Amino acid sequence: VLGVFQPKLLWPERLSDRLTDAELDSLLAHEVCHVRRRDNLSAMIHVVVETLFWFHPAVWWVGSRLVSERERACDEEVLQMGADNRTYAEGIVKVCSFGFRRPSAFVAGVGGPRLAERIEWILERPNATPLSGPARLLLAGVVAATLGVPVAAGALSAHRGPTHGGPA
C-alpha cells in the first residue's frame, strides 16, 4: 500500500494467478487493515523523527519495532476475522517468493529475518474466536467485581479505624 491520503494497493501482475481465493482474501484483508489503521501516516511521521534524530539508536530501534508491531496488529486482525492460519501464512510466503529477491525498504514485513518469526507466530497462534456480546459483558462484570473488592475492603477497614491491642 502506497500513499497516505489516498492510499493505493500496488499488486504485481499475475500474482493473483498463484494464490487461492482464501489466500487472496486474507492478504487483501491485511492490506485493508493497514489502510484503515493509517499505518503509512505513522510510518511517515517516524521517518521525520528518524531524520531529525538520526544519531539516536533508540529511534532506530523504535522504528524497527513499529514495523513489526504494525504487521503483527494486521496479522492478528486478519486471523480474528476468521482466516485460516495455514492458508494465510502460505499466502504470505507465496507473495514473498513472487518477485521479491531481496527485502525492499518500501515493503514492510516482507523478507528478512522477521519474516520467519512472523510466519511462525501466525502458524502457532490458535484459531481464537472473538468473545460474544454476553461473554464480554460477563468478563467486564468479573473484572469490575475483582477491582471493586479490594477498594471496598480498603474503605471498610478505613471506616473501622485502627485496631488497638494486638492479636486476640
Side-chain angles (χ1 to χ4, degrees), residues 49-130:
V49 171
E50 284 178 338
T51 302
L52 295 173
F53 299 99
W54 58 269
F55 54 87
H56 204 295
V59 172
W60 294 96
W61 178 81
V62 166
S64 69
R65 293 298 310 152
L66 285 174
V67 170
S68 295
E69 292 304 319
R70 281 193 298 264
E71 292 303 315
R72 169 87 43 112
C74 292
D75 290 341
E76 226 172 75
E77 188 168 330
V78 168
L79 294 172
Q80 285 177 349
M81 286 190 269
D84 177 66
N85 300 36
R86 183 166 215 73
T87 302
Y88 181 47
E90 287 172 357
I92 293 171
V93 171
K94 284 180 184 179
V95 168
C96 292
S97 65
F98 182 85
F100 292 112
R101 301 288 181 245
R102 57 191 121 105
S104 169
F106 300 105
V107 185
V110 175
R114 302 254 179 191
L115 178 63
E117 292 172 18
R118 181 178 170 202
I119 297 297
E120 185 177 325
W121 179 86
I122 290 169
L123 290 173
E124 290 179 355
R125 186 179 183 279
N127 283 335
T129 55

Side-chain angles (χ1 to χ4, degrees), residues 28-66:
L28 289 175
H30 176 94
E31 297 308 326
V32 168
C33 180
H34 280 300
V35 171
R36 197 171 39 245
R37 291 169 33 89
R38 297 184 179 7
D39 284 342
N40 285 358
L41 178 60
S42 68
M44 187 177 72
I45 291 169
H46 191 77
V47 166
V48 170
V49 171
E50 284 178 338
T51 302
L52 295 173
F53 299 99
W54 58 269
F55 54 87
H56 204 295
V59 172
W60 294 96
W61 178 81
V62 166
S64 69
R65 293 298 310 152
L66 285 174

